[in-house]
Amino acid sequence: MFAPRSRAGAAGIAVGFLADLLLGDPRRGHPVAGFGAGAARLEKLTYADNRGSGALHTGVLLGGLAGLGWAVGRGDRVWGTAAATYVALGGTSLNRVGNRMAALLAADDVAGARALLPSLCGRDPAALDVSGLTRATVESLAENTSDAQVAPLFWAAVAGVPGVLVYRGANTLDAMIGHRSPRYRYFGWAAARFDDVLNYLPARLTGVLTVLCAPVVGGSPAAALRAWRRDASRHPSPNAGVAEASFAGALGVRLGGPTQYAHQLEIRPTLGDGRIPEVADVARAVRLSRAVQAASAAVAVLLAVSGAFRSGRRSSLRW
């Protein structure tokens, strides 16, 4: 009874992962961009400077995605899961941007690197020199490995099409309104907190996989684990700190420090006890990200199979 479901869900995740690996993000008409545009239009109607309005805004959008996911998931499980997984993933595009940043920094093209940085994070590129751009890139590669790859695969495995679509929507809303700017301090609270909840387990899976993959970049699993256990909890984000600290330990570098955003300056805690990141560490971070992404795809397929197996056993016992 469980075999068809397990094959369908696992196969869909595998196909979605391979599609992202081969194609990356669509250059035009990306569904996530369409969702973001729709969210921005809805915000004109729902915005008020309080948490309740933000919760309503977030609930309407994510509820719509849940309904869409339920409808898609009722059809062909393989291709529905594959399409949703592909749409939600961003690991290949993340690595491409990381490699472009590595090339620009190696060529000492600071202007080009500053122009590219907004593709990775929301920091103010004008305030960063080569060292700052390097650190920002490594930190963003670490955080987005979790957000753009491990988490979507995890939710595709444990909650199917509705889960992966709701996760991608929540993560998109967090990027749009989940920061502490004057406009979104209260309105974006619900989006930010819900994103924290959805990323809690995937971030820790990212930490485990980073520890295991540290030898890919000549790093030490023990150092990655030590940095995670010692430093992650000091980060202002309960989830980004896990990914960044474990990456820092695996790469043998020290992350954290002053971080300038458009709306404020944050003084981040030190993560890891190695040297200051160098330009060559950007390419190493990309390789580590790729290894973690591949490992997370394997874990997601196994989770999908095991989840369907347990469901089948429960159904058999009821009979």
Side-chain angles (χ1 to χ4, degrees), residues 2-3 56 85 135 159 180 192 208 217 247-248 260 282 289 294:
F2 65 85
L56 174 64
T85 301
R135 177 171 71 85
R180 296 182 179 181
V208 170
V217 290
F247 260 62
Q260 180 66 59
V282 174
S289 176

Side-chain angles (χ1 to χ4, degrees), residues 42 108 140 187-188 206 318:
L42 180 63
D108 203 26
S140 297
F187 184 76
T206 301
R318 283 198 294 272

Side-chain angles (χ1 to χ4, degrees), residues 101-109 279:
M101 183 67 80
L104 290 169
L105 292 172
D108 203 26
D109 185 354
V279 171

Side-chain angles (χ1 to χ4, degrees), residues 51 54-56 58 186-195:
R51 291 181 175 180
L56 174 64
T58 300
Y186 299 108
F187 184 76
W189 179 85
R193 297 292 76 76
F194 191 58
D195 181 73

Side-chain angles (χ1 to χ4, degrees), residues 22 25 51 67 69 78 84 156-157 159 167 169 175 182 185-186 244 251 253 256 274 282 284 294 310:
L22 294 172
D25 289 340
R51 291 181 175 180
V78 174
Y167 169 75
R185 182 177 299 274
Y186 299 108
E244 292 181 24
L251 295 168
V253 300
V282 174
R284 294 178 66 227
R310 290 193 298 271

Side-chain angles (χ1 to χ4, degrees), residues 154-233:
F154 175 85
W155 285 109
V158 302
V161 177
V164 71
L165 292 185
V166 168
Y167 169 75
R168 177 45 64 203
N171 193 245
T172 302
L173 286 176
D174 180 57
M176 294 177 68
I177 66 174
H179 43 82
R180 296 182 179 181
S181 65
R183 177 176 174 84
Y184 294 123
R185 182 177 299 274
Y186 299 108
F187 184 76
W189 179 85
R193 297 292 76 76
F194 191 58
D195 181 73
D196 285 344
V197 170
L198 292 184
N199 271 301
Y200 186 85
L201 291 177
R204 280 135 190 92
L205 176 58
T206 301
V208 170
L209 296 178
T210 301
V211 170
L212 296 175
C213 292
V216 171
V217 290
S220 164
L225 180 60
R226 182 171 61 250
W228 170 9
R229 295 181 62 184
R230 184 189 62 213
D231 300 332
S233 62

Side-chain angles (χ1 to χ4, degrees), residues 4 23 28 31 41 47 98 112 133 161 164 187 201 245 258 288-289 293 304:
L23 303 174
R28 295 181 181 178
R41 287 194 292 271
Y47 179 81
L133 289 164
V161 177
V164 71
F187 184 76
L201 291 177
L288 181 58
S289 176
Q293 289 177 32

